[in-house]
């Protein structure tokens, strides 16, 4: 058996493989494209394609695919084989530069939000050389961007790459002012901690809600939930450990640095964290990780639930997006430096992020807004729907001292003179000190904790990158025009703190009092539902920025708004229909059967001895009968609002109607069903309960 270092990355056409298999001219030219975005000429592409094909075939691949991330939220692929006929009825395995660079999937069914007229429905995929090709089963997967023939982005990768580019441009302007002319490229890095649930496959197969929607739509609270916190970091059960070992092996072969794994707070909940890497690669790798998690679970008779809220009453799952900015010279710009000069630069980048988050709260919120995540945010287990920034008390006090030009009350009371003094030492590792914050500074990175577990991290990062780029642009404009750089710089840092400190909050984000203070006193946004949040995409301030920096065109923004709203409506529609179906065909008949059996038992007993009161059974029959009526009424009320929503063509109107009318009716139907579950004999209940699902894997 091979050791981990031997098989790590064996299924990726990574730098090591490229170096070994490409001529040095081809390799250098490709690296130039990867690092600086230089145009690739066809002869280089042909050489790369031939080497990739040889490598893939040697590793058992027979097909290739342009792997892309359409706006459905999952990844898409269409496989073509390498086979090409040759003389004497033999075949050759071939792959050309043209096939590598550009593909034309018949992708007319992917959502385009009106961007693609049907007569030019095809769209094309374009190779993204900055993310390595990899082999999945027997297919060579080539990461690609997906666009319409007019050049409109139809995917998540294109705007993400554009956002990385604008951040690079603006950050370089700032670094130049600090004399860092050796820096040629600035990139953002991400490490995304992925939470998930594992449940038993046989139980899953018995629940139509899980099958159709990925979450449970019914289920009474089990006697034991997560109240003892005995699952968090608890010892890992053998079946789960076997799954994790297998998963790690698959991910390592794909060059994914899966690093830590542990049990999470809820029973059956777990987490995997990779080591951080460039945002584009991290995004691709997270998509692959989610896919592999599902596949590996299946091999172990398990199902991996990536939904944000598979179970009511226990914690949902998120993805912590750890984000930082660094230079190609190896400097993390969010890390406080050793010298006073470096510290001013750090402070500038820090306040730039604070300003970006404050000015574009809505954009960050909507970047994580989905039907699934709406159940999680603000539910006292995940950050609230209000965005704020956690800096920790010490860093906040430092900013406060700078703003007010007063001594910093640290270990030693001292006044900080920017550019002259070093920053007082503050606890750099504040990790997990405040789990309630949506956006926490943890020493040398920001942790955006609102991302949903099934979301692509592309959306959050493209908005974050762009918002920060825009702030850096404004700052660079001012600084470049300055006569006295130092004084303008200091004034800029101070002003930015004054104008944007309302977004800084170090307290408990789960507290109702905070929500009141945030909205009423600080004027922060509280966008509770997806339709409310998505509306912010078209706000002039956000739109001007995204269009102005060229990350989106106006058309692309409108199309995305429409797709997000339609997706939201479709998801809730499916859930509501599934509820009606399960309540009518499974729950009602079960409760009815138990109730009827109780009634006939009363009749039988009374026939045997008319003096028997049968008080218990009679009480239960009454209660169950009234629950049956309530369930029936709940089904009818839900059906009525579903039908009404079906008549609405406008996605904004429909989205709001669904949030305001359909979702409450779903909750109203669920209540008597869950109550009935607690009153019905277990042998009558038609599907596995919460207790079965949450404690069923050993
Ligand atoms: P935890 O938050 O669970 O205590 P860490 O904060 O050490 O753990 O790391 C969580 C994630 O953050 C990991 O994926 C890690 O690779 C990533 N990470 C660490 N440093 C950085 C950084 N400078 N930029 C981006 N991500 C980072
Ligand atoms: Mg963390």
């Amino acid at each position: 058996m091979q050791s981990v270092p031997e098989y790590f990355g064996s299924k990726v056409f990574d730098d090591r493989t490229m170096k070994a298999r490409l001529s040095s001219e081809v390799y250098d030219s490709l690296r130039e494209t990867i690092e600086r975005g230089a145009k690739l000429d066809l002869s280089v592409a042909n050489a790369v394609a031939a080497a990739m094909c040889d490598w893939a075939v040697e590793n058992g691949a027979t097909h290739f695919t342009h792997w892309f991330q359409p706006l459905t939220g999952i990844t898409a692929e269409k496989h073509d084989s390498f086979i090409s006929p040759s003389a004497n009825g033999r075949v050759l395995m071939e792959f050309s530069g043209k096939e590598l660079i550009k593909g034309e999937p018949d992708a007319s069914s992917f959502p385009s939000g009106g961007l693609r007229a049907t007569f030019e429905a095809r769209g094309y995929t374009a190779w993204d050389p900055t993310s390595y090709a990899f082999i999945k089963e027997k297919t060579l997967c080539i990461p690609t961007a997906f666009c319409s023939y007019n050049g409109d982005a139809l995917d998540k990768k294109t705007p993400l790459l554009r956002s990385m580019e604008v951040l690079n441009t603006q950050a370089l302007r700032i670094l130049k002012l600090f004399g860092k002319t050796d820096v040629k490229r600035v990139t953002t890095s991400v490490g995304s901690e992925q939470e998930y649930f594992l449940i038993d496959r046989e139980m899953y197969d018995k629940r139509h809600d899980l099958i159709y929607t990925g979450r449970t739509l019914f289920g009474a609270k089990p006697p034991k939930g997560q109240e003892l916190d005995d699952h968090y970091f608890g010892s890992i059960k053998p079946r789960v450990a076997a799954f994790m070992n297998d998963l790690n092996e698959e991910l390592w072969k794909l060059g994914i640095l899966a690093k830590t794994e542990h049990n999470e707070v809820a029973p059956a909940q777990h987490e995997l964290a990779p080591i951080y890497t460039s945002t584009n690669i991290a995004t691709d790798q997270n998509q692959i990780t989610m896919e592999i998690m599902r596949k590996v679970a299946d091999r172990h008779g398990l199902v991996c639930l990536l939904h944000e809220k598979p179970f009511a009453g226990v914690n949902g799952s998120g993805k912590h997006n750890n984000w930082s900015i660094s230079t190609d010279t190896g400097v993390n710009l969010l890390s406080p430096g050793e010298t006073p000069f470096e510290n001013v630069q750090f402070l500038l980048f820090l306040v730039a992020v604070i300003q970006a988050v404050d000015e574009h709260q809505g954009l960050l919120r909507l970047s994580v807004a989905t039907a699934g995540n709406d159940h999680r945010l603000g539910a006292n287990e995940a950050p609230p729907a209000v965005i704020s920034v956690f800096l920790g008390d010490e860093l906040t006090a430092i900013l406060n001292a700078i703003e007010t030009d007063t001594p910093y009350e640290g270990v030693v009371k001292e006044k900080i003179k920017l550019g002259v003094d070093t920053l007082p030492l503050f606890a750099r590792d504040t990790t997990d000190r405040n789990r309630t914050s949506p956006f926490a500074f943890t020493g040398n990175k920001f942790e955006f904790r609102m991302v949903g577990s099934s979301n692509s991290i592309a959306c959050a990062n493209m908005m974050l990158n762009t918002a920060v780029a825009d702030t850096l642009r404004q700052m660079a404009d001012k600084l470049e025009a300055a006569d006295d750089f130092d004084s303008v710089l200091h004034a800029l840092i101070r002003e930015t703190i004054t104008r944007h400190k309302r977004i800084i909050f170090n307290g408990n984000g789960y507290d109702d009092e905070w929500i009141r203070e945030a909205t009423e006193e600080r004027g922060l946004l509280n966008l509770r539902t997806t339709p409310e949040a998505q509306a912010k995409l078209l706000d002039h301030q956000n739109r001007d920025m995204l269009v102005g920096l060229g990350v989106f065109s106006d058309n692309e923004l409108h199309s995305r708004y429409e797709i997000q709203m339609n997706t939201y409506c479709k998801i809730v529609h499916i859930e509501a229909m599934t509820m009606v179906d399960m309540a009518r065909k499974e729950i009602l008949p079960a409760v009815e059967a138990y109730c009827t059996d109780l009634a006939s038992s009363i009749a039988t007993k009374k026939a045997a001895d008319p003096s028997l009161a049968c008080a218990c059974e009679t009480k239960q029959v009454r209660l169950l009968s009234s629950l049956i009526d309530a369930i029936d009424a709940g089904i009818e009320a839900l059906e009525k609002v579903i039908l009404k929503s079906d008549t609405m063509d406008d996605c904004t109107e429909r989205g709001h109607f669904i949030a305001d009318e359909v979702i409450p009716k779903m909750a109203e139907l669920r209540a008597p069903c869950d109550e009935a579950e607690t009153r019905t004999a277990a042998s009558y209940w038609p599907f596995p309960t919460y207790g079965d699902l949450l404690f069923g894997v050993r």
Side-chain angles (χ1 to χ4, degrees):
M1 211 174 112
Q2 282 186 310
S3 68
V4 179
E6 278 167 338
Y7 70 71
F8 184 86
S10 58
K11 291 187 170 185
V12 200
F13 196 71
D14 58 11
D15 194 61
R16 194 185 45 166
T17 313
M18 285 182 196
K19 216 172 205 161
R21 290 183 174 253
L22 299 172
S23 71
S24 59
E25 298 91 77
V26 170
Y27 173 81
D28 289 344
S29 163
L30 181 58
R31 278 252 64 100
E32 201 53 29
T33 301
I34 294 173
E35 277 157 31
R36 317 230 187 284
K39 208 170 153 22
L40 198 78
D41 64 58
L42 193 61
S43 66
V44 174
N46 277 329
V48 177
M52 253 189 207
C53 178
D54 289 345
W55 168 80
V57 170
E58 280 166 35
N59 282 284
T62 53
H63 288 67
F64 68 92
T65 183
H66 275 200
W67 184 82
F68 58 103
Q69 298 170 42
L71 296 166
T72 49
I74 48 169
T75 46
E77 44 198 73
K78 173 194 161 217
H79 299 194
D80 280 301
S81 78
F82 290 121
I83 283 178
S84 150
S86 77
N88 315 325
R90 314 282 306 166
V91 292
L92 286 173
M93 300 301 256
E94 269 182 355
F95 185 46
S96 70
K98 247 169 92 182
E99 288 171 302
L100 169 64
I101 291 176
K102 189 165 168 179
E104 299 189 20
D106 178 11
S108 49
S109 298
F110 290 113
S112 80
L115 277 183
R116 236 174 359 184
T118 35
F119 61 85
E120 45 156 350
R122 291 214 293 170
Y124 68 91
T125 48
W127 178 34
D128 165 21
T130 63
S131 182
Y132 298 132
F134 57 94
I135 297 172
K136 207 175 65 186
E137 279 144 28
K138 291 187 171 303
T139 303
L140 170 69
C141 298
I142 299 146
T144 53
F146 178 42
C147 296
S148 81
Y149 269 93
N150 298 330
D152 293 316
L154 297 172
D155 68 348
K156 301 194 172 169
K157 187 184 271 282
T158 308
L160 178 67
L161 291 173
R162 290 177 187 158
S163 76
M164 290 177 72
E165 208 46 57
V166 297
L167 185 85
N168 170 52
T169 307
Q170 301 306 330
L172 285 178
R173 284 178 69 195
I174 299 277
L175 290 174
K176 203 168 149 206
L177 291 164
F178 280 87
K180 305 284 166 59
T181 45
D182 54 330
V183 177
K184 295 285 177 285
R185 190 149 189 100
V186 173
T187 42
T188 57
S189 303
V190 165
S192 59
E193 302 162 60
Q194 175 74 50
E195 291 179 337
Y196 59 98
F197 280 84
L198 281 181
I199 61 167
D200 187 78
R201 158 127 251 144
E202 280 183 27
M203 293 189 200
Y204 170 93
D205 284 339
K206 292 186 182 133
R207 294 209 45 146
H208 289 106
D209 47 5
L210 287 175
I211 294 171
Y212 294 144
T213 74
R215 73 179 180 109
T216 56
L217 300 167
F218 299 101
K221 240 176 115 49
K224 175 174 159 54
Q226 63 188 44
E227 42 286 278
L228 294 178
D229 279 334
D230 51 352
H231 191 254
Y232 192 51
F233 280 60
S235 74
I236 298 172
K237 292 170 181 156
R239 239 176 117 189
V240 175
F243 159 85
M244 286 178 173
N245 287 340
D246 211 359
L247 175 64
N248 280 339
E249 202 172 300
E250 294 282 342
L251 296 177
W252 289 338
K253 280 185 199 158
L254 287 165
I256 298 175
L257 290 153
K259 174 84 174 163
T260 43
E261 53 201 25
H262 60 79
N263 288 347
E264 260 301 329
V265 176
Q269 193 184 27
H270 312 280
E271 181 188 292
L272 178 135
I275 293 174
Y276 67 99
T277 174
S278 155
T279 307
N280 181 34
I281 293 178
T283 303
D284 284 355
Q285 291 192 338
N286 182 252
Q287 291 296 119
I288 304 168
T289 300
M290 292 194 285
E291 185 180 331
I292 307 265
M293 279 179 164
R294 288 203 172 99
K295 280 199 182 131
V296 172
D298 198 51
R299 290 210 289 263
H300 290 258
L302 299 166
V303 177
C304 173
L305 301 178
L306 290 165
H307 194 282
E308 285 73 21
K309 193 76 185 174
F311 304 98
V314 293
N315 279 7
S317 300
K319 192 140 47 188
H320 291 174
N321 189 81
N322 294 272
W323 177 93
S324 64
I325 321 174
S326 52
T327 67
D328 59 351
T329 51
V331 177
N332 178 353
L333 298 171
L334 292 179
S335 186
E338 302 288 329
T339 66
F341 197 57
E342 284 169 342
N343 282 328
V344 194
Q345 183 188 298
F346 157 72
L347 284 169
L348 187 68
F349 278 95
L350 181 78
V351 298
V353 176
I354 292 170
Q355 175 179 340
V357 176
D358 186 31
E359 284 182 344
H360 300 283
Q361 298 157 46
L363 212 50
L364 289 179
R365 170 64 184 92
L366 78 89
S367 75
V368 300
T370 59
N373 218 13
D374 281 0
H375 298 288
R376 186 179 152 257
L377 299 178
N380 277 330
E381 48 155 290
V386 178
I387 303 225
S388 61
V389 177
F390 168 86
L391 291 182
D393 292 338
E394 288 154 291
L395 192 50
T396 307
I398 292 172
L399 292 194
N400 190 36
I402 293 169
E403 188 204 357
T404 53
D405 201 24
T406 49
Y408 165 67
E409 311 266 351
V411 187
V412 189
K413 194 167 160 146
E414 54 192 331
K415 206 159 160 168
I416 307 158
K417 214 155 164 275
L418 290 183
V420 180
D421 297 336
T422 45
L423 279 184
L425 273 186
F426 58 90
R428 298 212 176 164
D429 194 359
T430 46
T431 315
D432 271 344
R433 269 211 186 162
N434 187 338
R435 296 166 57 91
T436 68
S437 175
F439 200 85
F441 183 68
T442 50
N444 61 1
K445 63 186 194 298
F446 278 97
E447 191 167 340
F448 186 32
R449 296 183 169 131
M450 283 177 124
V451 186
S453 48
S454 67
N455 283 182
S456 160
I457 58 171
C459 304
N461 287 301
M462 67 179 76
M463 296 310 181
L464 188 53
N465 290 345
T466 312
V468 173
D470 191 52
T471 313
L472 295 175
R473 178 190 61 76
Q474 295 171 37
M475 292 177 159
D477 284 350
K478 279 193 189 136
L479 293 170
E480 281 169 356
D483 289 333
D484 177 355
F485 178 75
D486 282 349
S487 62
V488 173
L489 173 65
H490 295 177
L492 181 61
I493 291 176
R494 208 172 277 164
E495 258 169 48
T496 310
I497 300 171
T498 308
R499 278 193 287 133
H500 300 288
K501 65 182 176 191
R502 65 167 186 166
I503 198 81
I504 300 169
F505 177 64
N506 297 322
N508 179 5
Y510 295 175
D511 199 346
D512 289 341
E513 170 51 24
W514 159 239
I515 305 300
R516 193 203 57 75
E517 182 189 325
T519 51
E520 290 173 20
E521 286 170 31
R522 301 198 189 197
L524 301 178
L525 291 171
N526 183 16
L527 304 167
R528 271 161 300 193
T529 65
T530 296
E532 275 177 84
Q534 289 299 343
K536 295 288 168 205
L537 190 60
L538 305 178
D539 256 15
H540 75 90
Q541 186 205 17
N542 291 328
R543 202 171 69 187
D544 289 353
M545 178 189 81
L546 293 166
V547 175
L549 284 172
V551 173
F552 284 102
S553 69
D554 228 0
N555 279 343
E556 287 170 344
L557 281 182
H558 278 97
S559 96
R560 261 156 227 254
Y561 172 74
E562 209 165 287
I563 292 168
Q564 294 300 339
M565 288 296 269
N566 281 328
T567 306
Y568 172 81
C569 294
K570 283 179 195 163
I571 288 172
V572 183
H573 191 266
I574 293 169
E575 290 180 346
M577 297 290 282
T578 305
M579 284 192 88
V580 167
D581 209 56
M582 287 173 74
R584 187 174 276 148
K585 296 196 199 139
E586 299 182 70
I587 297 175
L588 267 186
V591 185
E592 187 68 47
Y594 181 49
C595 189
T596 308
D597 284 357
L598 278 173
S600 53
S601 132
I602 297 172
T604 314
K605 284 186 185 172
K606 286 204 171 175
D609 178 354
S611 74
L612 286 174
C614 298
C616 169
E617 296 92 325
T618 309
K619 194 173 91 190
Q620 290 198 71
V621 167
R622 272 205 200 108
L623 193 88
L624 290 170
S625 289
S626 72
L627 285 169
I628 288 170
D629 290 343
I631 294 171
D632 183 54
I635 295 173
E636 280 190 10
L638 180 55
E639 259 181 340
K640 214 164 124 195
V641 288
I642 297 174
L643 282 174
K644 178 136 188 237
S645 78
D646 288 345
T647 64
M648 298 175 175
D649 291 330
D650 178 64
C651 68
T652 304
E653 186 195 6
R654 189 161 179 229
H656 283 283
F657 180 80
I658 283 182
D660 300 338
E661 305 289 336
V662 177
I663 288 178
K665 289 281 178 292
M666 289 166 68
E668 281 169 36
L669 170 58
R670 179 173 178 151
C673 291
D674 289 358
E675 169 79 16
E677 185 197 317
T678 68
R679 306 276 172 186
T680 302
S683 58
Y684 288 71
W685 202 248
F687 39 73
T689 63
Y690 269 29
D692 300 333
L693 293 166
L694 289 168
F695 298 95
V697 175
R698 270 176 287 278

